[in-house]
Amino acid sequence: MPRFVTVARVHEIAPGAARQVTVEGRWVGLFNIDGVFHAVDNLCLHRGGPLCEGAIRGAVVTCPWHGWQFDVASGALMQDPTVGVSRHEIRIVGDEIQVRLTD
Ligand code: FES
């Protein structure tokens, strides 16, 4: 059963910013969208580009390698929302951002 893992502190990731964290050996992109944190798999569905290094506009990140776009709140691929990257649970405890893998 996955458990919540502390991955960063709230003040470390400004609104509009992102970073890669590792949760139980898995690369996860952590995004701050207007003060709300989201966690999705950091590997683009196309060829594994690092999503957290892409440009963020609203809740949409553009993969830096070839431009696929994902909604970081749902993980859905903007060009085809029937597919997407896995989204993970987030909770804030004090100033800690904690992530629990969902699959
Ligand atoms: S690896 Fe992300 S668009 Fe190609």
Side-chain angles (χ1 to χ4, degrees):
M1 175 83 178
R3 61 189 176 87
F4 279 99
V5 175
T6 298
V7 293
R9 300 198 181 275
V10 169
H11 71 273
E12 294 174 338
I13 305 173
R19 76 157 55 159
Q20 177 178 292
V21 296
T22 302
V23 181
E24 298 182 338
R26 185 158 164 175
W27 286 343
V28 170
L30 188 60
F31 297 82
N32 180 342
I33 306 297
D34 296 329
V36 179
F37 290 90
H38 302 277
V40 296
D41 276 354
N42 197 41
L43 296 178
C44 178
L45 282 185
H46 181 217
R47 292 193 179 169
L51 294 182
C52 71
E53 295 179 17
I56 302 167
R57 187 174 190 134
V60 175
V61 65
T62 300
C63 178
W65 286 6
H66 314 99
W68 285 24
Q69 294 181 307
F70 297 85
D71 180 337
V72 300
S74 66
L77 176 66
M78 298 301 288
Q79 292 83 352
D80 178 0
T82 63
V83 297
V85 291
S86 293
R87 176 183 171 279
H88 305 292
E89 270 186 83
I90 285 227
R91 72 180 182 189
I92 306 297
V93 178
D95 69 340
E96 295 182 353
I97 305 167
Q98 299 183 339
V99 174
R100 179 163 68 185
L101 299 178
T102 54
D103 60 14

